[in-house]
Amino acid sequence: MEPLTTRPRGTEDVLGPVAQAWQYLEQTARRLAGRYGYEEIRTPVFEHTELFVRSAGDTSDIVSKEMYTFNDRGGRSLTLRPEGTAPVVRAFLENRLYAGSLPVKLYYLGPMFRYGRPQAGRLRQFHQFGVEFLGSGEPAADAEVIALSLEFCRELGLEGVELHLNSVGCPRCRPPYREALLAYLGPRQEELCGDCLDRYVRNPLRVFDCKQPGCREVLREAPLITSYLCADCARHWATVKTYLERLGFAYREDAYLVRGLDYYTRTAFELTAAGIGAQNSIGGGGRYDGLVEACGGPAVPAVGFALGMERVLLALEAQGRKPGEGMEFRVFVAVTEGVDRAEAAEVVLRLRRAGYTTEQDYLERSLKAQMKHAARWRAAVTLILGPEELREGKVTLRVMDGGLQEKVALVDLETALEQFRSTP
């Protein structure tokens, strides 16, 4: 039995500076998504299991190996969401968003759940920032979604992000390509791993998901799906690339990129970042024109992406960046001996109402101890209330980084704080 003070394997507690970094990432995501015209959607963390089986495909690793599935007290099979697109599509249908003005542009932030071997940046409970653009089949929509994902990384200051791009065709392209791939893999089955042997029988395109060196070697001379694209898919593929070039986004054509979910059509893309090991993907996405219809709705084309927030944080850390550092201007109010601590409470309330993150001492510590606590709390400024200052209607303002100290009038306190906050 696991001790009550131990968190489940593959999960993390987020607090302190790490929580501040998370807040910065989330604020950046919300700000950027809003700038692009996306509205937030919050779906349940569990859905009916069939939703994921039908959307992701029963041959995908997510469905066959990684889902947290359980029966509730009513005997219904439910699954903790392993990804965000299928729940958004379900909400799009259930709330009849397709009956209104199209396109519908939605974003989400939240936890996902997949069972697997925990490692850096790959947890059993992980978090994603994702967007879904429903209602347009135009290449311009693909380009916007890709641009948004790259701009998110740019705004965070994440460098060295590579865009990998492919087209996985459509239901018209895939049958002849599937036959060509089966013909190629057939004589080489003995060289495939056990998982890929199963994929060969059930869904040969999934072989490209394998990271085993032996399987990757087998695929080196495999036929490429881009050679089998129908005329419409080929035009779409070429136009997406033209948009990206016009927008100034570099990309690498990756004919082996198929993504891990069966619902993708045409555009598939992935973002990678250096410094986070062999599993260097921080997210990706693509077009899924048949998913809404497969879930029981009308034929509505769509495209989207999801970025793993833990992966993004790991990449930022590898580059020595500390997202959110200095984001919060904290003020601590300390008192010296002989001052009624209610004086501090009045100043604290005043500053909180003015929008400042403000704290005071609640343990009746000495001034020296209060200053140590203010430093541990990462205060930018400490205000010291002493009998002499209060008689003069002033407060001593001390900048914690550098030790600069001066007296300022209480009536001008907010103005003085704003000057210190805006000083580089």
Side-chain angles (χ1 to χ4, degrees), residues 132 142 145 259 263-265 267-269 284-288 302-305:
E132 311 296 348
D142 305 48
V145 164
R259 304 291 293 156
Y263 54 62
Y264 283 113
T265 57
T267 305
F269 70 93
R287 178 163 285 283
Y288 50 96
V303 60
F305 76 75

Side-chain angles (χ1 to χ4, degrees), residues 128-163:
Q128 288 185 340
F129 163 46
V131 308
E132 311 296 348
F133 189 131
L134 300 114
S136 173
E138 293 301 310
D142 305 48
E144 176 181 292
V145 164
I146 294 170
L148 202 165
S149 69
L150 290 167
E151 286 296 282
F152 177 68
C153 297
R154 186 189 66 81
E155 293 219 356
L156 293 175
L158 185 58
E159 299 175 348
V161 174
E162 279 195 353
L163 167 63

Side-chain angles (χ1 to χ4, degrees), residues 32-197:
L32 190 63
R35 197 182 301 162
Y36 274 70
Y38 290 76
E39 296 182 353
E40 184 176 11
I41 182 170
R42 303 188 187 195
T43 63
V45 294
F46 58 87
E47 300 270 0
H48 294 293
T49 300
E50 179 60 25
L51 173 66
F52 299 111
V53 174
R54 183 177 297 189
S55 61
D58 58 5
T59 62
S60 67
D61 284 352
I62 288 177
V63 172
S64 62
K65 299 179 181 180
E66 299 174 351
M67 292 201 315
Y68 278 94
T69 298
F70 59 95
N71 289 332
D72 68 5
R73 291 178 182 269
R76 292 170 288 263
S77 180
L78 301 173
T79 294
L80 297 178
R81 61 186 185 196
E83 55 95 21
T85 298
V88 170
V89 168
R90 191 269 311 149
F92 176 78
L93 292 174
E94 186 169 356
N95 294 282
R96 295 183 57 81
L97 300 182
Y98 56 86
S101 178
L102 295 177
V104 172
K105 299 166 69 174
L106 303 168
Y107 80 89
Y108 57 85
L109 284 159
M112 310 293 164
F113 306 85
R114 296 183 193 176
Y115 187 86
R117 184 173 64 85
Q119 52 188 291
R122 187 182 289 270
L123 300 173
R124 290 175 177 175
Q125 176 178 308
F126 59 101
H127 299 76
Q128 288 185 340
F129 163 46
V131 308
E132 311 296 348
F133 189 131
L134 300 114
S136 173
E138 293 301 310
D142 305 48
E144 176 181 292
V145 164
I146 294 170
L148 202 165
S149 69
L150 290 167
E151 286 296 282
F152 177 68
C153 297
R154 186 189 66 81
E155 293 219 356
L156 293 175
L158 185 58
E159 299 175 348
V161 174
E162 279 195 353
L163 167 63
H164 294 248
L165 196 65
N166 194 24
S167 175
V168 294
C170 71
R172 282 181 295 174
C173 310
R174 285 183 182 170
Y177 175 66
R178 185 178 188 277
E179 293 305 313
L181 185 59
L182 285 172
Y184 173 81
L185 293 174
R188 299 167 175 82
Q189 291 182 60
E190 292 184 359
E191 302 172 55
L192 299 176
C193 70
D195 285 342
C196 283
L197 280 174

Side-chain angles (χ1 to χ4, degrees), residues 181-218:
L181 185 59
L182 285 172
Y184 173 81
L185 293 174
R188 299 167 175 82
Q189 291 182 60
E190 292 184 359
E191 302 172 55
L192 299 176
C193 70
D195 285 342
C196 283
L197 280 174
D198 182 60
R199 292 165 179 152
Y200 169 79
V201 174
R202 303 173 69 191
N203 189 346
L205 264 72
R206 292 274 74 79
V207 174
F208 287 100
D209 283 336
C210 188
K211 301 298 187 291
Q212 296 292 334
C215 295
R216 303 297 289 181
E217 182 62 27
V218 169

Side-chain angles (χ1 to χ4, degrees), residues 9 23 141 143 148 185 200 206 214 237 261 268 274 303 309 341 348 350 375 412:
R9 187 166 184 248
Q23 291 167 17
L148 202 165
L185 293 174
Y200 169 79
R206 292 274 74 79
W237 172 230
L261 301 165
V303 60
M309 300 293 262
R341 289 177 181 259
V348 167
R350 172 182 160 185
D412 298 327

Side-chain angles (χ1 to χ4, degrees), residues 256-276:
Y256 297 103
L257 175 64
V258 296
R259 304 291 293 156
L261 301 165
D262 284 356
Y263 54 62
Y264 283 113
T265 57
R266 294 188 170 173
T267 305
F269 70 93
E270 190 168 76
L271 304 186
T272 62
I276 59 174

